[in-house]
Amino acid sequence: MIHYNPLLCLDFYKTAHAEQYPQTLTKMVSYYTPRMTRLDDTDKVAMFGLQAFINEYLIHAFDKFFFTVPFHHVIAEYKRVLNSTINTDGVGEKRLKALHDLGYLPLEIRAVPEGARTNIKVPQIEISNTHPDFVWLVNSIETMLSCTMWHTQVSAEVGYRYRQIVNEFAERTCDDGVVRAKLLGDFSMRGQESVESATKSSAAFCLSFLNTATVPAILWLESNYHCDCAKEPVAFGALSTEHSVMCSNFAMDGDEITHIRRLLTEVYPHQSFSMVSDSYDYWNLVDNILPQLKDEILAHDGCLLIRGDSGDPVEVVTKTAFKLWDIFGGTVNSKGFKVLNPHVKALYGDSITPQRCQQIYGILERTGFAINNVALGVGSFSMQCLETMDADHKSYAPYTRDTFGIAVKATYAEDADSKPIMIFKNPKTDTGHFKKSQRGCCCVVKNGDNYTYEDGLTWAEAQEDNELRVVFKNGEFIKTYTLDEVRQNLHGGQF
C-alpha cells in the first residue's frame, strides 16, 4: 500500500483533467476491460484483486493520507509537488477542499464476482461518481487500479493454467482423495519485481494451489479476503534446506550423510521436509547415500522430499521418482498406478513451465506412476512469461498489462439535466481493433460458463439483470468475498 496522498498516485496528466472535462457534466461512467488476448489458448481472464485494491487504496490509503490529514497539510504537499514539476500551482485546490470536506470517496464500483473468468472484451469493473461535483474522480483512480491489478490477474491465470494440467493427469492417475491443490507450489518471490508484486502474485496463484514459499501472501489474503490461516487452509509453506545449509555442514563433516541423518533423527524427527540434494553430486546422493539411510528414512515420522535444483527438471524429477521406488517401494492405487512409500517423494523446486509440467506428468503416467509421486515448484519465470513451442522453435510471451489489453475507458456521462451522453473511442489507425471502447453503459450477462455484454445503454437501462454488482459505494464496502468463495468461483465449486 502507498504511504502518501493517493491523489498523487497517478499519472501527471490526470491531475489536470478536472478542468478539461465539459463543465456541465454531473456523471461519468468508466469500464475496466480486458480488451484482447495475446495468448492463443486463452480467451478468458480471471477477475481478482479488486477487493484488495478497494481495501488498501480506496479505503485505508484515502482515510490515512487524505481525509484524516488536516487539509492545509494535504494541499501544501499537493501544490509543492505539482508546482515544482508541471507548474500547476493552485490547480485543484477547490475541488480537493470540497472532497476533503465531504469526508468520503463519492464513487460507486460495480464488478463481476471475484474469481469469475470473463470472456475477452467483456467489462469486469464499472466505476461511476455518486456526487455531481466529482466527475473527475472516476478516471483519477484508473492508474492505481490498472497497475495494482493486472499482474495479480495474470498470476491468477497462471495458477489456473497449471491447475487444469494437474486436474487432467490427477483424474487419470491419482486416487480421488489426493488433494490436487497441494501438487504444485509457488517459488517465485525472489525473482519478482518487488515484495508487493511477489505478495500479490503468490496470493493469486494460491487461488488454485495451497503451497507457497511466499509468507506475506498469506497475510495479504487474510487482510483482504476474510480468511485465517490458523482456522482454514489459506496456504502452506514447507520446511526445507538450502545450499548454505548443505555446504556448511559438508565443510564441517566432510560428507553429506552425517547431516542428512541429523536432519532425520534430531532436527525434524516428526516433520516432513525437503532437502536440496545437488550441492555436489545429486545422483550419488540418490543412488548411494539414500540406501544407507533407508532405516532412518522409513522410521522418520514424516516425508523426506529429495529436491533437484539443476539439470533438466523433466529428467531429474522423473528419474528420481523411479529410483525412489526401486529403493523404498510403495503401493498401487485404485487406478492401477504406483505410489511411492509415504516417507519419500521427488521434488523439483522451480523451473517448471507448463510444458515441463505436462512432460513430467506424461512420463509418469506412461510408466505407470501416479503424478502425486512428485511435487513441482513454479518460479518467477512462469509468473512473468509464457513459453510457447511449435514444431520448429520456442518463443516467449512476457506477461504485461497488454497481455490482455487491460484498460479503463470512459463510455458514458450525463449533464445537469440528466441527459445521457454516449462516449466512445474507435481509432481508425487501430488496425487490430482492440482499442475500440464500449459505448454508453454496459449490461453484463452470464450464459453458462460464458459472459457477454450489451452496450449503448443509459444508466437507468443498465441497472437490471446486470452481473456487474455494487461492491463499493461512498467509501464503504457493499459486498465482499471470502477466499473460499473466490476459489470456488474460479474452479466451479471444485477447488
Side-chain angles (χ1 to χ4, degrees):
M1 187 179 76
I2 57 173
H3 297 282
Y4 38 80
N5 179 2
L7 290 173
L8 288 173
C9 187
L10 72 177
D11 302 300
F12 267 116
Y13 66 90
K14 285 187 177 290
T15 64
H17 285 176
E19 289 71 34
Q20 298 175 21
Y21 286 126
Q23 296 302 293
T24 57
L25 297 186
T26 58
K27 191 170 194 65
M28 179 75 75
V29 181
S30 292
Y31 290 96
Y32 175 103
T33 307
R35 299 174 297 176
M36 52 89 77
T37 178
R38 297 183 189 274
L39 307 180
D40 292 339
D41 60 353
T42 304
D43 61 358
K44 293 181 181 179
V45 182
M47 209 294 279
F48 177 61
L50 175 63
Q51 186 166 300
F53 168 77
I54 291 172
N55 188 42
E56 294 181 345
Y57 289 82
L58 301 190
I59 295 178
H60 289 300
F62 264 97
D63 180 62
K64 185 173 183 179
F65 300 108
F66 183 76
F67 289 118
T68 62
V69 177
F71 183 71
H72 66 275
H73 289 311
V74 171
I75 196 62
E77 179 73 352
Y78 191 85
K79 292 170 68 174
R80 181 188 70 83
V81 172
L82 296 187
N83 194 44
S84 300
T85 52
I86 57 174
N87 194 28
T88 55
D89 185 28
V91 170
E93 183 167 356
K94 289 184 179 180
R95 55 183 163 84
L96 264 66
K97 180 65 164 63
L99 179 60
H100 196 273
D101 290 345
L102 188 66
Y104 65 86
L105 207 58
L107 293 175
E108 180 177 278
I109 297 179
R110 305 182 185 209
V112 298
E114 296 250 352
R117 294 184 77 238
T118 63
N119 300 70
I120 297 299
K121 298 186 181 298
V122 173
Q124 295 182 324
I125 302 169
E126 175 192 270
I127 310 163
S128 64
N129 58 299
T130 61
H131 189 294
D133 293 344
F134 298 97
V135 167
W136 59 272
L137 261 179
V138 173
N139 269 40
S140 292
I141 69 168
E142 172 193 355
T143 312
M144 287 192 298
L145 178 63
S146 179
C147 69
T148 299
M149 283 191 59
W150 75 260
H151 189 212
T152 312
Q153 290 185 267
V154 164
S155 294
E157 279 295 308
V158 170
Y160 183 84
R161 178 185 291 269
Y162 280 98
R163 182 58 185 269
Q164 301 318 296
I165 299 171
V166 167
N167 286 347
E168 175 190 349
F169 285 91
E171 183 68 26
R172 295 196 296 264
T173 72
C174 296
D175 284 334
D176 294 339
V178 169
V179 180
R180 299 176 184 183
K182 289 187 175 182
L183 297 185
L184 264 77
D186 165 46
F187 282 72
S188 69
M189 185 174 184
R190 69 192 62 192
Q192 297 275 10
E193 294 89 343
S194 65
V195 171
E196 291 78 10
S197 180
T199 297
K200 292 184 294 182
S201 175
S202 182
F205 190 84
C206 287
L207 298 184
S208 295
F209 293 98
L210 286 170
N211 297 334
T212 182
T214 307
V215 177
I218 295 173
L219 302 175
W220 188 87
L221 287 168
E222 289 182 327
S223 296
N224 295 301
Y225 288 91
H226 308 299
C227 55
D228 184 339
C229 72
K231 299 177 181 178
E232 60 190 296
V234 175
F236 301 103
L239 294 169
S240 180
T241 70
E242 68 174 15
H243 289 291
S244 67
V245 170
M246 305 305 291
C247 295
S248 60
N249 277 276
F250 181 86
M252 295 290 290
D253 299 331
D255 59 43
E256 293 180 285
I257 194 169
T258 301
H259 178 53
I260 299 172
R261 181 176 285 113
R262 186 169 73 90
L263 288 170
L264 289 164
T265 61
E266 298 178 30
V267 182
Y268 301 122
H270 303 293
Q271 292 170 284
S272 299
F273 66 94
S274 72
M275 180 178 69
V276 64
S277 304
D278 71 330
S279 295
Y280 303 103
D281 188 338
Y282 182 84
W283 295 118
N284 178 65
L285 184 145
V286 173
D287 292 334
N288 299 314
I289 295 179
L290 293 184
Q292 296 179 60
L293 294 168
K294 183 174 181 178
D295 290 343
E296 288 92 337
I297 292 172
L298 293 179
H300 175 232
D301 184 21
C303 179
L304 172 62
L305 290 86
I306 306 302
R307 177 160 75 93
D309 195 44
S310 58
D312 177 5
V314 176
E315 177 186 7
V316 169
V317 76
T318 54
K319 189 176 177 181
T320 300
F322 304 151
K323 286 177 176 287
L324 292 178
W325 174 268
D326 292 339
I327 299 169
F328 298 98
T331 58
V332 175
N333 67 19
S334 63
K335 296 180 182 178
F337 288 86
K338 296 176 182 177
V339 179
L340 283 169
N341 184 297
H343 290 91
V344 289
K345 183 174 285 191
L347 165 66
Y348 206 96
D350 58 15
S351 301
I352 303 301
T353 63
Q355 290 81 9
R356 286 172 173 168
C357 184
Q358 290 176 309
Q359 290 168 8
I360 290 166
Y361 288 167
I363 291 170
L364 291 172
E365 182 180 24
R366 290 192 298 273
T367 53
F369 283 79
I371 68 168
N372 60 312
N373 287 301
V374 302
L376 304 177
V378 179
S380 58
F381 174 86
S382 287
M383 293 295 188
Q384 301 179 71
C385 184
L386 177 65
E387 177 184 285
T388 58
M389 292 183 284
D390 58 30
D392 300 317
H393 68 284
K394 291 182 181 181
S395 61
Y396 301 94
Y399 294 133
T400 71
R401 182 196 68 140
D402 290 323
T403 297
F404 297 114
I406 292 172
V408 178
K409 297 300 173 187
T411 65
Y412 180 83
E414 292 178 355
D415 62 14
D417 297 322
S418 298
K419 175 186 175 182
I421 302 168
M422 302 295 176
I423 305 173
F424 70 99
K425 62 177 288 188
N426 188 16
K428 288 186 177 181
T429 49
D430 176 28
T431 56
H433 303 294
F434 75 92
K435 288 201 169 185
K436 179 181 179 181
S437 70
Q438 298 98 1
R439 180 179 182 274
C441 290
C442 298
C443 180
V444 174
V445 178
K446 185 179 182 184
N447 297 305
D449 292 332
N450 292 307
Y451 287 80
T452 59
Y453 75 96
E454 178 185 0
D455 64 353
L457 305 175
T458 66
W459 176 256
E461 291 170 338
Q463 301 308 300
E464 295 184 7
D465 299 322
N466 196 334
E467 289 294 316
L468 296 169
R469 308 288 174 83
V470 179
V471 295
F472 172 84
K473 188 173 183 178
N474 294 336
E476 297 181 348
F477 275 117
I478 303 300
K479 165 68 177 175
T480 59
Y481 296 88
T482 65
L483 172 61
D484 182 64
E485 288 173 327
V486 179
R487 283 170 166 167
Q488 301 308 332
N489 286 341
L490 181 60
H491 295 286
Q494 300 296 317
F495 173 72

